[in-house]
Amino acid sequence: MPILDLDTAKSAIRDILQSPRFPTRHCKERMEQRNVQMDDILHLLFWGTVELGQESGDAERNVFRVSGADIEGEPLVAVIEVILEENRLNCISVF
């Protein structure tokens, strides 16, 4: 799997958000558990700051941390895996 740089990751995230494959079932489950609405996660992923993941092995798996705010201005963070080959995002965690 290729390792994405931050600029490529930002672009890929925004492109994937516009595909019919977002969000995945796993992402929907995490959002429901954290009481995060679709508008909130879309706002975060479009406008948030994309950073490298913080866990060992994240770079090799194309895992990124997106931090910012929901549509009401409350802090929100999502940890996502960008899977270019399948044109999808795997939402690992939302908090």
Side-chain angles (χ1 to χ4, degrees):
M1 177 180 293
I3 298 172
L4 301 177
D5 61 58
L6 287 177
D7 288 334
T8 304
K10 289 176 195 177
S11 178
I13 290 167
R14 289 174 178 108
D15 288 346
I16 293 168
L17 286 176
Q18 297 176 47
S19 80
R21 298 189 83 181
F22 182 81
T24 62
R25 181 176 51 89
H26 182 76
C27 188
K28 289 177 188 177
E29 290 170 0
R30 291 292 178 260
M31 289 167 52
E32 184 177 315
Q33 291 170 347
R34 306 298 195 285
N35 198 29
V36 174
Q37 306 302 314
M38 182 56 70
D39 289 345
D40 295 324
I41 196 79
L42 290 173
H43 184 268
L44 173 70
L45 294 176
F46 268 112
W47 304 109
T49 301
V50 178
E51 304 166 331
L52 296 173
Q54 297 179 344
E55 302 295 324
S56 175
D58 281 355
E60 294 80 15
R61 291 180 39 225
N62 290 325
V63 173
F64 298 90
R65 183 182 177 115
V66 183
S67 51
D70 65 15
I71 58 173
E72 296 171 345
E74 295 294 321
L76 185 61
V77 176
V79 178
I80 59 165
E81 178 182 18
V82 178
I83 305 169
L84 284 179
E85 297 82 12
E86 298 175 21
N87 195 40
R88 72 179 174 99
L89 301 176
N90 181 24
C91 184
I92 296 168
S93 186
V94 177
F95 51 97

